[in-house]
């Protein structure tokens, strides 16, 4: 066990160099048998592998087997066989498996956190949000699926004689494509709802973070999920993701808006449904009566959690003129007091970005803004002294529409500050652009803040919190408006998207057609009178 490994014995780390052939100085080494146990779960028949580097030090972490389009087809065939039995399994048994997963995730959290930090580089305290979110999701669907899926009775066309039952039947095999930024929760959370609804899953996690996703698959198996229901494929998005869209009965995608459009087009071609959880350029509004210290604390978490690589993170901060200077002073003080580090320790407040590509993207946006006149209040540069892809927490003023990061998602630890005088103006500026994922409003008057929230075009709005209040409330649907997505995860909506609604109408005694020698014309008159009476009686 490495000295810096806070996990209990039996975790993924070992002593010594990680990969002696490639990197004798590696500071974190994964147990080869541990890695093999995870990577054996990838449905892959070829000997091709993809090397994963750890953002903590840029050194090799593992080699992941790669799936071919034939492997994806084989994964679907296996899933389809297993799904037939699963759909016939009592919902209560499916719920029991999810509740066992809840306990497993809580008891194995140090192991989960180690893998997430090693693969994504995020601070351990932000990694903790992932097992927390999976435990909440498992408990929610472990307790609410049977009642949500129960067959509903609805009124039929002829009261008393037409009975209507509405069933929620599973889609079949759901394809899940997930990103690297929350590698454990994004790979698992939607799939738990899909399984609960009676589907099988074929999952394609991002190439950077396969181990965290494979650990999720292993925990599901340990919780008692029958063979064949959770299948993991690996490889480049356009090939393997494309093969998955070609086979699935429904696709659940989380990632960028650009890729979301490609997925939507593929699903439209096959006339299958999809949910798309996409990017954002999320605003926070700090109203004149806000508690400045509380808002500054919330803003620090909202902007820098997971180094800003969070779909619901805040990238635009609108602050009332009356408190602007006080707020900025407290926000900068909190930002500059953060502990930056690229280790497995709990003490870090922010870790590195995930990859060189992310560092290049964030650096280019900040450079573009600076060259066009933005003022850098803190940060604004890479920190290679901390880790290869580290970018300093960055606060900007004077950002204009001429700058790329005014409207484009940065997905890094960078925020733009703006003053406002009237609330109507703040709402209008918050609603600028095409995105609509998440927003936050800080005010001591929570009723007023909720009224402001109702005018913001975003799928979730948090009052006196940044994002966690809505995201961790599992009964609250989560998703984007406009270019931030389609459909919702969490809540009843997050379960029912994985079902088809089926109406079964049973007709008793009389048929819905002319009877007893009645002519078609007489039947039409009779039905017309009937409709008028039913409207008068207030029937829907
Ligand atoms: P991305 O779109 O590049 O990749 C996401 C996933 O799609 C990966 O698994 C990738 O391999 C796969 N993929 C890429 N091209 C594909 C294609 N042509 N066909 C099928 N699959 C393909 O996104 P990213 O950069 O990895 O993730 C960051 C983005 O995700 C950000 O925009 C962020 O806001 C968004 N995100 C949204 C949410 C949400 O809930 N709304 C959550 C997390 C991340």
């Amino acid at each position: 066990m490495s000295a810096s490994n806070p996990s209990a014995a039996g975790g993924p780390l070992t002593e010594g160099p990680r990969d002696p052939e490639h990197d004798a100085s590696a500071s974190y080494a994964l147990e080869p048998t541990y890695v093999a146990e995870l990577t054996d779960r990838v449905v892959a028949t070829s000997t091709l592998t993809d090397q994963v580097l750890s953002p903590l030090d840029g050194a090799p972490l593992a080699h992941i087997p790669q799936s071919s389009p034939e492997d994806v087809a084989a994964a679907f065939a296996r899933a389809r066989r297993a799904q037939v039995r699963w759909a016939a399994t009592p919902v209560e048994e499916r719920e029991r498996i999810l509740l066992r997963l809840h306990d497993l995730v809580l008891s194995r959290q140090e192991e989960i956190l180690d893998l997430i930090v090693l693969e994504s580089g995020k601070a351990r305290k932000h990694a903790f949000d992932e097992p927390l979110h999976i435990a909440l999701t498992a408990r929610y669907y472990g307790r609410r699926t049977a009642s949500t899926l129960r067959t509903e009775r609805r009124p039929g066309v002829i009261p008393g004689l037409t009975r209507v039952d509405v069933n929620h039947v599973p889609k079949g095999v759901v394809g899940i494509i997930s990103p690297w930024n929350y590698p454990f929760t994004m790979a698992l959370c939607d799939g738990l709802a899909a399984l609960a609804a009676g589907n099988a899953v074929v999952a394609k996690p991002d190439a950077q973070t396969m181990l965290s996703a494979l650990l999720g698959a292993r925990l599901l198996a340990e919780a008692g999920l029958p063979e064949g229901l959770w299948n993991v494929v690996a490889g480049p998005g356009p090939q393997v993701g494309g093969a998955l869209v070609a086979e699935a009965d429904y696709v659940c995608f989380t990632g960028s808006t650009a890729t979301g459009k490609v997925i939507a087009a593929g699903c439209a071609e096959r006339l299958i449904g999809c949910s798309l959880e996409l990017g954002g350029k999320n605003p926070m509004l700090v109203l004149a009566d806000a508690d400045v210290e509380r808002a500054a604390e919330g803003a620090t978490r909202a902007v820098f959690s997971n180094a800003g690589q969070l779909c619901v993170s805040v990238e635009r901060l609108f602050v009332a003129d009356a408190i602007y200077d006080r707020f900025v002073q407290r926000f900068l003080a909190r930002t500059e007091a953060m502990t930056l580090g690229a280790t497995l320790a709990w003490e870090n407040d922010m870790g590195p970005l995930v990859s060189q590509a992310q560092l290049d993207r964030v650096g280019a946006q900040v450079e573009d803004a600076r060259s066009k006149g933005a003022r850098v209040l803190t940060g604004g540069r890479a920190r290679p002294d901390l880790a290869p892809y580290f970018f300093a927490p960055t606060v900007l003023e004077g950002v204009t529409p001429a700058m790329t990061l005014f409207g484009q998602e940065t997905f890094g630890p960078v925020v733009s500050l703006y003053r406002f005088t009237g609330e109507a103006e703040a709402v209008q500026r918050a609603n600028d652009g095409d995105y609509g994922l998440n927003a936050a409003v800080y005010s001591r008057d929570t009723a007023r803040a909720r009224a402001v929230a109702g005018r913001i075009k975003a799928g979730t709005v948090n009052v006196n919190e940044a994002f966690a209040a809505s995201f961790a409330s599992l009964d609250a649907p989560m998703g984007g408006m406009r270019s931030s997505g389609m459909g919702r995860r969490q809540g009843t909506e997050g379960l029912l998207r994985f079902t088809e609604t089926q109406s079964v109408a049973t007709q008793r005694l009389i048929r819905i057609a002319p009877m007893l020698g009645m002519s078609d014309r007489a039947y039409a008159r009779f039905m017309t009178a009937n409709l008028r009476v039913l409207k008068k009686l207030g029937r829907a």
Side-chain angles (χ1 to χ4, degrees), residues 179-531:
W180 45 263
N181 66 329
Y182 278 72
F184 186 69
T185 193
M186 287 298 137
L188 266 188
C189 69
D190 296 294
L192 299 187
L195 288 175
N199 301 282
V201 167
V202 176
K204 194 214 83 63
D206 191 89
Q208 168 69 34
T209 49
M210 286 297 300
L211 295 177
S212 306
L214 288 164
L215 177 56
R218 173 173 160 174
L219 293 174
L220 274 169
E222 288 181 32
L225 188 72
E227 286 268 308
L229 289 172
W230 192 273
N231 307 276
V232 182
V233 292
Q239 287 93 60
V240 176
L244 186 138
V245 173
E247 295 264 0
D249 299 315
Y250 184 89
V251 176
C252 170
F253 172 77
T254 308
S256 64
T257 297
T259 309
K261 289 179 183 174
V262 175
I263 304 282
C267 291
E269 187 60 38
R270 295 193 51 233
L271 282 181
I272 57 166
C274 60
S275 59
L276 306 170
E277 309 284 349
L278 310 177
K281 188 78 189 172
N282 308 304
M284 174 186 282
L285 275 59
V286 185
L287 307 189
D289 69 344
D291 176 333
V292 168
E293 199 57 50
R294 183 170 177 181
E297 186 278 330
T300 313
R301 271 185 299 120
V303 174
F304 302 117
S305 280
N306 196 19
Q309 301 166 119
L310 166 62
C311 56
V312 288
S313 73
V314 163
E315 298 195 358
R316 299 181 296 150
L317 248 168
F318 297 93
V319 185
D321 195 37
I323 56 164
Y324 185 88
D325 294 335
R326 265 194 305 140
F327 173 84
V328 172
Q329 190 259 328
R330 292 309 306 142
F331 178 50
L332 286 178
R334 283 183 171 274
T335 301
E336 286 169 356
M338 286 197 303
T339 302
L340 308 182
T343 66
L344 291 167
W346 279 101
E347 287 69 30
N348 298 326
D349 293 317
M350 200 185 96
L353 296 174
V354 75
S355 62
Q356 184 65 46
Q358 271 296 108
L359 180 68
D360 293 345
R361 170 190 162 124
V362 172
Q365 282 203 5
V366 171
E367 219 24 69
D368 168 75
R370 196 202 311 257
S371 71
K372 291 174 181 160
R375 292 179 296 284
V376 179
L377 302 189
T378 190
R381 65 194 175 93
R383 292 288 308 269
D385 51 314
L386 295 172
Y389 324 130
F390 217 109
F391 199 84
T394 298
V395 180
L396 302 176
E397 250 184 355
V399 170
T400 69
M403 303 169 191
T404 315
L405 58 64
F406 179 84
Q408 268 190 28
E409 185 181 43
T410 305
F411 222 52
V414 181
V415 70
S416 308
L417 293 177
Y418 304 97
R419 272 176 203 269
F420 72 84
T421 43
E423 269 165 35
E425 171 214 342
V427 169
Q428 191 193 357
R429 288 164 69 189
N431 285 339
D432 265 359
D434 300 327
Y435 287 119
L437 189 59
N438 181 49
V441 181
Y442 275 76
S443 165
R444 283 196 169 88
D445 182 347
T446 50
R448 197 165 112 245
R450 279 194 296 276
V452 170
R455 285 150 53 204
I456 298 178
K457 292 178 185 162
T460 51
V461 186
N462 291 268
V463 172
N464 293 333
E465 240 296 327
F467 56 83
S470 59
F471 204 79
S473 301
L474 261 289
D475 211 17
M478 186 262 164
M481 297 183 184
R482 307 197 282 184
S483 294
S484 289
M486 276 170 28
R488 295 291 181 268
R489 61 161 58 103
Q490 305 194 166
T492 306
E493 292 82 349
L495 184 70
L496 292 182
R497 72 187 148 148
F498 295 122
T499 64
E500 292 285 3
T501 305
Q502 179 197 47
S503 298
V504 179
T506 310
Q507 188 60 28
R508 291 199 309 137
L509 299 176
I510 61 167
R511 62 189 192 207
I512 303 177
M515 285 184 308
L516 307 169
M518 194 186 254
S519 70
D520 286 329
R521 174 177 286 191
Y523 174 73
R525 271 198 230 107
F526 170 73
M527 288 305 283
T528 303
N530 222 318
L531 293 184

